[in-house]
Amino acid sequence: MICCKECIDLLYDYIEGSLDQDTSKSLEEHFEECPPCIAFLNTYKSTTTICRDTLNQIEIPDEVRRALQSFLKEQKGQQDKK
Amino acid sequence: MSFTQQKEDREIEEALVRDLQAGNLDAYDKIAELYQKKIYALSFNLMRNQMDAQDVTQEVLLTLFRKINTFQGKSAFSSWVYRITLNASYMKLRSKKKEPNISIDELLPSFNGAGFQQEKIQDWSENTESLLFTNETREVINKAVGLLPEKEKVVFLLRDVEGLSTEKVSEILDLTIPAVKSRLHRARLFLRKKLSGYFEEYNSQKGET
């Protein structure tokens, strides 16, 4: 049976679905016998989801948007004069 | 996003780039509109400062405008935009005093001699719902990401947060695919460990009441 260390080294490819059948099977056998590694797998996956959901909430604040708009206008104005 | 949609987006983008190269200023507005949020979000996540992110966004938009004729189309236009954004953000960061990074190895999992886990692992994955989007949780997550060493952080932001493919990230950062994967894996392990402390404490407090 593979050990926890090997199991965690394989997690990335396991989630991507890029492990070959045999390796995938031995990993799943390990999970059956090892609740801590299942907990690890679940929290590893959750980590990605909650970080993505949190960091993706960034919107451009209104004042920045306004500043960018006038900046672009200015740049275009300079270009038109050339 | 479907493959056809991606292909259409790419064609629209290529047409805009050609228009801009030909001196059409309306194309510039459209390109700015398409990219400014991505540029702002990536630079904000790297620097965590609104003024700095605004400066970088302006600088990148200006660079796109001025250097559009040096873009040769060898890589995707978006990869070029991301690279310019990263360079500008790093220049900005370098000009500021930096807090020393903690070593990522300290936060990787530890095993005994036989390769079995040494620490107690709690499964908090089912209990994050009620905590998500509270200011405290957001703060914890932002702080954890902020502590990632730069090499791992940038891969994490592009691949997991922006949702770009591994291939695209490898193109932007000029890294091999295995290098992208290994940095991302380390970033996730680091963040998992950091977040575990927070969610486990929350779970145990909930258990007591």
Side-chain angles (χ1 to χ4, degrees), chain A residues 2-17:
Chain A
I2 62 173
C3 66
C4 300
K5 184 179 182 308
E6 289 168 290
C7 167
I8 284 158
D9 287 343
L10 292 170
L11 278 190
Y12 182 98
D13 288 314
Y14 178 66
I15 291 170
E16 297 269 296

Side-chain angles (χ1 to χ4, degrees), chain B residues 24-42:
Chain B
N24 176 348
L25 291 179
D26 290 337
Y28 184 51
D29 282 334
K30 288 185 185 137
I31 288 177
E33 193 50 45
L34 271 177
Y35 278 101
Q36 64 182 8
K37 194 191 157 195
K38 287 185 200 296
I39 298 167
Y40 181 83
L42 179 60

Side-chain angles (χ1 to χ4, degrees), chain A residues 57-74:
Chain A
Q57 284 174 39
I58 290 169
E59 291 291 336
I60 303 185
D62 286 342
E63 71 246 45
V64 175
R65 189 172 282 277
R66 278 194 294 274
L68 288 175
Q69 262 163 6
S70 54
F71 174 79
L72 287 177
K73 221 169 144 187
E74 201 181 304

